[in-house]
Amino acid sequence: MTDVETLGQHACCGGSVRFLRHQSSELGVPATFGIFLPKEALAGEKVPVVHVLGGLTCTHETFLIKSNAVRFAAEHGIALVAPDTSPRNTGTAGEDDEYDLGTGAGFYVDATHAPWSAHYRMESYIRKELPALTESLFPLDGNRRGIMGHSMGGMGALNQALNHPEFWKTVSALAPICHPSVIPWGRKAFDAYFGGDPAKWKECDPTLLLRSGHQHPTSILVDQGLQDQYLADLRPDALVEAAKECGQALDMRRHDDSDHSYWFIQTVIADHLSHHAKGLKA
Amino acid sequence: MTDVETLGQHACCGGSVRFLRHQSSELGVPATFGIFLPKEALAGEKVPVVHVLGGLTCTHETFLIKSNAVRFAAEHGIALVAPDTSPRNTGTAGEDDEYDLGTGAGFYVDATHAPWSAHYRMESYIRKELPALTESLFPLDGNRRGIMGHSMGGMGALNQALNHPEFWKTVSALAPICHPSVIPWGRKAFDAYFGGDPAKWKECDPTLLLRSGHQHPTSILVDQGLQDQYLADLRPDALVEAAKECGQALDMRRHDDSDHSYWFIQTVIADHLSHHAKGLKA
C-alpha cells in the first residue's frame, strides 16, 4: 500500500470531499487528487465511480468545486475522482513557462520524448495508478467506472474511453478538444511530448481514434457551446463526422448561447451525472 | 448614469452571469461586481434580487462560482448581486499586508478613521450605491430585495438587515461572524477602521444590534457547521441568546459534520434560496 496523506476532508451533500497526496510511481513526484465519496460509500457500500478530468491550468480541485458535479453525484450515489492536470514541480526545464505546456497541461498523455518523458505520464497515471490506488482505499466498484472531462480533459476522457472501452464503462465530455493533432494547442503539446513523432498522434486524438477503428460500446455524450471562444480549435464537427463514418453512437448537443466556462459546465452538469448513472447503475 | 464596463458575460442555467466594473463614488476607485440575471429578467420581467456577500479574501466572483447559488436562483427566478469584499488598489498604506484587514477584508463597514476612511466605505457601497446602480441597469425589483452572506459576509448581511429592515426584506447567513466586537478578527478590523472608538461597534455587531433593540420582521435563517475551524470566533450562541432575549425569530441550524468551506455552503445553499424565494415571492 502506498502512503497516502490526507490534506483536507470536508462534509458535502451528505458525503465527503477529500484531498489526498501520494508519491506517484508513474509521475515520479508527489501527486494530489480529490475524491468525493457519497453517503453510500461512507456506509461501506461499493459505489460506481466517475473520474473527472479538468482543462488547461486547472488543479485537482477546480472541477470539483466549480462544476456543481458533487451535488448530482451525491443524488446518484456515485463517487468522483479528480486527478491533477499534470505532474507538478518535477524540475523539468520549461515546465512553468507556458500555460499550455508542462504544469497544468499534461494533456493526459505519456510523453516519450526527453525531457518530458521522465515525469509527464498522465495517461498511465489516470488509467493504471490512480484507479488502483483509489479502489484499494475506498469502496469503489472497478466494474462500474466512468470518465468525463472538460476541454483538454474532455479530450483525455474520450481518448481513455476509446483506447480502453473495457476499463471505462461510460464516457462524456464538455467542450472537448476533439481533433488535437490538427490544431495549435495539440500540435505544440504533441511535438514536445512526442518529439515530433506523428505516429503517436493517432493514440491520443479522439477523431483519429474513431477513424482507425476504435469505438466505445455506449453512446458518448458531448456538450458544446456555440459561443465558445475556442470553438475553432475544438473541432466538434470532425468528431461528429468520424463517429458517423464508423457508426459510433454520439450525442453531440450544441448550445447556442454557451461559452467555454464553468458557467457552461454548471448549466449541463446534471445531465452528465445522469448519463453516467444510467450507464453504470443499469 | 454611471459608466459601466462589462468585463464578462456567460450564459448559465438559462440566465446570464455578468461581471461589471464602474467608478464607485463611495469607494473612490473602480469597483467590480458580479450579477446573475435569471431568464425572467432577460425577458424584461422585474424579478426579486438577493445580494450575496463573500467572506475574507473572496472577490466578486468567489461566492457566485463556488456556492452553487446560481442554479437555485435560476429555479426561483431570482437575481443575485455579488459585490467585492472591499475596495481594491486604493493606495491605502498597508492594505495588502494582511488577509484580514484592507483588501479582501472590508467587513462591510464605513471606516471613520484615517487612512481607511477615504476608501473603505463598504456599508454605504452595498446599501446605497450598488442596489441603486443595478436596479437602474436591470429589471430588479427594489421592493423585493434580500441579502445573505458567508462568514464576514454573513456578518455583513445580518448587520445590513438589522440596521435597515425596510430595505432588505429577507436575510440569511452561512457561518456568520455573529459577535465581532469580542473576537480578534472583529476587534482588529474595528480598531483600524474606527480608530478604537467602541461606540461604533454596536452599529456593526449583529449580537449588539439585537441587544440594543434592532430586529428584522422576518425569521433569520442561519446555518453553522460544528466542525467549523473558526467556530470559537463565530459565536453563534451569542446570536441565539440575543435573539431569544429580544424575541427575534431566528432559525439557527447546526450541522454536526460541516466545516467553514464552500463544500458546506454547497450542502445548504438550496435552502437559502428557498428561504429568500418564500419571503420575496410571497
Side-chain angles (χ1 to χ4, degrees):
Chain A
M1 171 74 75
T2 314
D3 282 338
V4 178
E5 180 187 2
T6 300
L7 304 178
Q9 181 166 331
H10 310 276
C12 190
C13 295
S16 179
V17 170
R18 298 178 191 180
F19 297 103
L20 302 136
R21 182 165 52 195
H22 67 120
Q23 177 63 33
S24 166
S25 55
E26 289 290 350
L27 306 178
V29 288
T32 303
F33 64 93
I35 188 165
F36 170 67
L37 299 168
K39 66 177 186 298
E40 293 83 354
L42 298 182
E45 183 184 328
K46 225 167 189 180
V47 297
V49 56
V50 175
H51 289 240
V52 296
L53 308 183
L56 285 167
T57 76
C58 290
T59 73
H60 59 279
E61 186 192 39
T62 315
F63 193 95
L64 287 182
I65 191 73
K66 289 189 176 180
S67 71
N68 286 206
V70 167
R71 168 174 308 280
F72 299 104
E75 286 181 9
H76 291 293
I78 289 178
L80 302 173
V81 171
D84 206 338
T85 52
S86 74
R88 289 178 191 264
N89 305 309
T90 67
T92 304
E95 72 179 342
D96 293 328
D97 291 354
E98 297 170 89
Y99 83 98
D100 55 358
L101 188 67
T103 301
F107 278 76
Y108 305 104
V109 298
D110 286 352
T112 56
H113 190 67
W116 304 103
S117 50
H119 296 284
Y120 281 74
R121 298 182 49 77
M122 289 299 290
E123 200 279 336
S124 290
Y125 177 72
I126 61 175
R127 182 168 59 87
K128 296 176 184 168
E129 188 170 6
L130 191 56
L133 175 65
T134 50
E135 289 163 25
S136 76
L137 292 170
F138 304 107
L140 310 179
D141 186 351
N143 293 314
R144 294 185 292 166
R145 193 191 295 114
I147 192 164
M148 64 181 290
H150 173 230
S151 195
M152 174 183 76
M155 182 203 78
L158 293 170
N159 285 337
Q160 285 283 345
L162 292 171
N163 277 310
H164 309 286
E166 74 299 334
F167 192 81
W168 307 102
K169 297 294 197 295
T170 51
V171 55
S172 72
L174 301 131
I177 301 175
C178 293
H179 196 7
S181 64
V182 301
I183 60 143
W185 271 341
R187 285 294 281 277
K188 176 179 175 178
F190 290 180
D191 282 352
Y193 295 143
F194 304 137
D197 176 9
K200 294 292 293 179
W201 298 353
K202 68 177 188 303
E203 300 170 20
C204 42
D205 179 316
T207 296
L208 296 183
L209 283 167
L210 286 172
R211 285 188 193 155
S212 66
H214 291 265
Q215 292 200 28
H216 197 273
T218 68
S219 180
I220 301 170
L221 173 63
V222 179
D223 279 293
Q224 177 61 56
L226 298 183
Q227 303 304 316
D228 191 317
Q229 56 270 49
Y230 306 114
L231 188 58
D233 284 339
L234 298 175
R235 301 289 176 110
D237 294 340
L239 190 75
V240 168
E241 190 175 341
K244 192 175 173 186
E245 281 173 11
C246 75
Q248 170 66 52
L250 169 66
D251 184 9
M252 171 71 73
R253 309 192 307 180
R254 293 177 171 87
H255 304 267
D256 282 343
D257 57 356
S258 290
D259 59 24
H260 199 68
S261 68
Y262 272 90
W263 304 110
F264 160 60
I265 296 178
Q266 291 194 4
T267 304
V268 297
I269 192 68
D271 294 343
H272 284 253
L273 272 297
S274 294
H275 169 82
H276 289 278
K278 189 177 166 192
L280 298 177
K281 301 179 79 175
Chain B
M1 172 73 75
T2 313
D3 281 339
V4 178
E5 180 188 3
T6 300
L7 304 178
Q9 181 164 333
H10 310 276
C12 189
C13 295
S16 179
V17 170
R18 299 179 190 179
F19 297 103
L20 301 140
R21 182 164 54 194
H22 68 119
Q23 177 64 33
S24 166
S25 55
E26 290 290 349
L27 306 178
V29 288
T32 303
F33 63 93
I35 188 166
F36 169 68
L37 300 167
K39 66 178 187 298
E40 292 83 354
L42 299 182
E45 183 184 328
K46 225 167 190 181
V47 297
V49 56
V50 176
H51 289 240
V52 296
L53 308 184
L56 285 168
T57 77
C58 289
T59 73
H60 59 279
E61 186 193 38
T62 315
F63 193 95
L64 288 182
I65 190 74
K66 290 189 174 180
S67 70
N68 286 206
V70 168
R71 167 175 309 281
F72 299 104
E75 286 181 9
H76 290 294
I78 288 177
L80 302 174
V81 171
D84 206 338
T85 52
S86 74
R88 288 178 191 265
N89 305 309
T90 67
T92 304
E95 71 179 343
D96 293 328
D97 291 355
E98 297 170 88
Y99 83 98
D100 56 357
L101 189 67
T103 302
F107 278 76
Y108 305 105
V109 298
D110 286 352
T112 56
H113 191 68
W116 303 103
S117 50
H119 297 284
Y120 281 73
R121 297 183 51 77
M122 289 299 290
E123 200 278 337
S124 290
Y125 177 71
I126 61 175
R127 182 168 59 88
K128 296 177 183 168
E129 188 169 6
L130 191 56
L133 175 65
T134 50
E135 288 163 25
S136 75
L137 293 169
F138 304 107
L140 310 180
D141 186 351
N143 292 315
R144 294 184 293 166
R145 193 191 295 115
I147 192 162
M148 63 181 290
H150 173 230
S151 193
M152 175 183 76
M155 182 204 76
L158 293 171
N159 286 338
Q160 284 284 343
L162 292 172
N163 277 309
H164 310 285
E166 74 299 336
F167 192 81
W168 306 103
K169 298 294 196 295
T170 52
V171 55
S172 72
L174 302 130
I177 300 175
C178 293
H179 197 6
S181 63
V182 302
I183 60 142
W185 271 340
R187 285 293 281 277
K188 176 179 176 178
F190 290 181
D191 282 352
Y193 296 143
F194 305 137
D197 176 8
K200 295 292 292 179
W201 298 353
K202 67 178 189 300
E203 300 171 19
C204 42
D205 180 315
T207 297
L208 295 183
L209 282 166
L210 287 173
R211 285 189 193 155
S212 66
H214 290 265
Q215 291 201 28
H216 197 272
T218 69
S219 180
I220 301 171
L221 173 63
V222 178
D223 279 294
Q224 178 60 57
L226 297 182
Q227 303 305 316
D228 191 315
Q229 58 269 49
Y230 306 114
L231 187 57
D233 284 338
L234 298 175
R235 303 286 176 112
D237 293 341
L239 190 75
V240 168
E241 190 175 341
K244 192 175 172 187
E245 282 174 12
C246 73
Q248 169 66 52
L250 169 66
D251 185 8
M252 172 70 73
R253 310 192 308 180
R254 293 176 171 86
H255 305 267
D256 283 343
D257 57 356
S258 290
D259 59 24
H260 199 66
S261 68
Y262 273 91
W263 304 110
F264 159 60
I265 296 178
Q266 291 194 4
T267 303
V268 297
I269 192 67
D271 294 343
H272 285 254
L273 272 297
S274 294
H275 170 81
H276 289 279
K278 189 177 165 192
L280 299 176
K281 301 178 81 174

